[in-house]
Amino acid sequence: MPKRTLQGVVVSDKQDKTIVVRVDRRFTHPIYKKTIRRSKNYHAHDENNQFKAGDVVRIEESKPLSKLKRWTVVQAETKTA
């Protein structure tokens, strides 16, 4: 089974070799048919501490690296205007 990848925004880089990434998702409510936005935070491994808050990154599933870290950073996304 392929590893899942998600795209999100770095919200915290205060920890050593760890970033917190906020991933937003949009879906339609099953009854009201309105579009709802939900977000979730993921702790991801950043080996070189190269990503800062506000960066758009792509993260990938990995084996458990610590109590909370289950993701690693694959690459930084380029922002398009």
Side-chain angles (χ1 to χ4, degrees):
M1 196 161 88
K3 295 182 179 180
R4 291 186 299 163
T5 60
L6 299 173
Q7 181 176 331
V9 179
V10 178
V11 292
S12 174
D13 62 342
K14 295 180 185 303
Q15 303 172 68
D16 187 34
K17 296 187 179 184
T18 303
I19 59 174
V20 179
V21 180
R22 186 187 74 233
V23 176
D24 296 321
R25 65 186 185 99
R26 292 172 48 165
F27 64 96
T28 304
H29 191 279
I31 295 174
Y32 300 118
K33 309 301 184 201
K34 295 194 72 160
T35 302
I36 301 172
R37 290 192 303 178
R38 293 285 158 93
S39 63
K40 186 172 179 181
N41 288 342
Y42 294 95
H43 288 71
H45 185 65
D46 176 16
E47 182 65 37
N48 300 321
N49 292 319
Q50 64 186 21
F51 300 105
K52 303 297 177 203
D55 292 347
V56 178
V57 296
R58 188 173 296 274
I59 57 176
E60 182 180 71
E61 264 184 324
S62 69
K63 65 179 184 177
L65 298 167
S66 70
K67 180 180 176 182
L68 296 174
K69 284 199 291 189
R70 305 291 189 269
W71 298 82
T72 57
V73 179
V74 177
Q75 65 185 9
E77 294 294 315
T78 56
K79 292 185 179 181
T80 56

